[in-house]
Amino acid sequence: MYIPADKKKSKSFEGYTLIVPAVSVGNVGQLAADLLISTMWLERCGFIYHDSILPLVGNDPYAHPEADVCKLVTACEVYESKLHQLVIIQQRAPFVKGKMSSFRRWLTSWVKENKFEKLVILSSMHAHERLDIQLQGPQFRYISTPDLEAENKERFTHDVLKWIPLEGRPSLEDPEGSLYLPGGGIAKSLFEDCSKENIPAIVVLVFCAEGDNAQDAVKLAYNLNLWMDLIDFKPKYDLDGKTIIKPASTWRVPSSWRLLFGTAVDQTLFH
């Protein structure tokens, strides 16, 4: 269940966009959510307690050097931007084996109950599972429900974005190709659940392999931002059109990323 940070205030997310990262290959979706939460300085509005997610507690991953308050985070946190009417769920622990479907049912029910405008699923897919046509060119793909596709078709494929829909995987049973997301975690099943429940949804993903996936996360967050226009990265100029009065914004990397792969190697080992 969703537990708000301030239980005294009733909160409605009607008209909001919900972003959910799938626990997928390289954890790209979660890293992209990290970038969005940190760069936009989103406010923690609550957390999700569900028996399908392994319990976890840790230090605030978005703490800044000048912070003088100690905060803790749990396995599944919820962040909000009132300005952008945006909610991001950040899942930091894996699912309990056999419990993923119960979380999907709860999540789709919560989306409908709170009348979210649309659901955006951040995911990734094994690079070694690509088709021949996918080996070259952009490594970013998307899948959307028909209503969301119809609303954004021109912008997705012909305008600035030039996104490529995820190609179907042909088989003997389905020569035309079906939805195939190896390594995508909950993304495929959640998307299919949303389609059945008539919830406008889209999956945005990149092909990648396990390793240092920070750049894959930047790529995913960048493409999402091109569509949703959440962060303005353009510099601001004076009236003369030449003098920069505000430099271009950049991604604010969370402090927790410094230890993503452990501490640095002790250089005295090589003396």
Side-chain angles (χ1 to χ4, degrees):
M1 61 178 174
Y2 169 68
I3 301 174
D6 189 347
K7 297 181 180 179
K8 296 180 181 178
K9 295 181 180 179
S10 58
K11 178 64 183 177
S12 171
F13 294 122
E14 185 173 357
Y16 276 53
T17 295
L18 175 63
I19 295 179
V20 177
V23 181
S24 54
V25 56
N27 300 104
V28 176
Q30 293 159 292
L31 293 174
D34 263 354
L35 285 174
L36 293 170
I37 294 167
S38 180
T39 304
M40 298 174 68
W41 292 80
L42 296 194
E43 178 185 355
R44 177 184 177 273
C45 62
F47 65 95
I48 292 171
Y49 176 75
H50 200 277
D51 63 2
S52 64
I53 302 175
L54 290 172
L56 172 146
V57 66
N59 289 326
D60 181 8
Y62 310 116
H64 299 283
E66 64 275 12
D68 57 359
V69 178
C70 181
K71 296 180 180 179
L72 295 178
V73 295
T74 57
C76 198
E77 304 274 300
V78 183
Y79 297 85
E80 176 191 14
S81 169
K82 296 177 182 177
L83 175 64
H84 298 91
Q85 289 197 304
L86 177 73
V87 169
I88 299 180
I89 292 176
Q90 180 61 301
Q91 182 180 340
R92 298 190 175 91
F95 288 108
V96 176
K97 186 176 181 180
K99 292 276 191 176
M100 189 185 295
S101 58
S102 66
F103 180 78
R104 291 200 326 263
R105 288 193 297 270
W106 174 84
L107 183 58
T108 51
S109 174
W110 188 65
V111 169
K112 295 183 72 174
E113 177 186 327
N114 283 274
K115 300 179 180 178
F116 281 98
E117 184 178 274
K118 58 182 176 289
L119 172 65
V120 179
I121 305 167
L122 308 180
S123 188
S124 50
M125 176 175 161
H126 285 301
H128 66 265
E129 290 278 4
R130 289 174 294 177
L131 300 169
D132 290 347
I133 195 174
Q134 298 167 336
L135 296 177
Q136 295 183 333
Q139 297 299 288
F140 175 88
R141 294 293 190 274
Y142 81 96
I143 322 144
S144 67
T145 51
D147 46 357
L148 204 57
E149 179 74 22
E151 184 182 335
N152 296 274
K153 180 67 176 178
E154 291 298 314
R155 183 164 172 75
F156 282 163
T157 57
H158 297 104
D159 201 358
V160 181
L161 303 182
K162 297 181 181 178
W163 286 1
I164 303 173
L166 180 65
E167 298 84 354
R169 182 61 58 102
S171 63
L172 293 176
E173 295 79 13
D174 186 5
E176 295 297 321
S178 57
L179 182 58
Y180 186 63
L181 283 175
I186 199 175
K188 178 185 175 182
S189 51
L190 179 57
F191 177 76
E192 291 174 339
D193 287 350
C194 289
S195 299
K196 294 174 184 175
E197 296 290 337
N198 295 317
I199 298 172
I202 183 171
V203 180
V204 290
L205 61 93
V206 293
F207 300 115
C208 68
E210 292 281 1
D212 184 350
N213 299 100
Q215 289 306 309
D216 295 311
V218 171
K219 184 190 305 178
L220 186 61
Y222 171 78
N223 277 283
L224 179 66
N225 188 62
L226 282 179
W227 172 42
M228 297 188 66
D229 197 23
L230 300 171
I231 306 162
D232 185 4
F233 287 110
K234 298 176 183 177
K236 302 297 184 294
Y237 293 91
D238 203 349
L239 295 176
D240 60 9
K242 297 179 181 179
T243 307
I244 297 178
I245 58 176
K246 182 181 178 183
S249 300
T250 57
W251 291 110
R252 189 185 302 274
V253 176
S255 56
S256 56
W257 282 26
R258 290 180 301 168
L259 302 177
L260 206 57
F261 298 100
T263 55
V265 176
D266 185 355
Q267 294 301 312
T268 60
L269 292 172
F270 307 103
H271 291 175

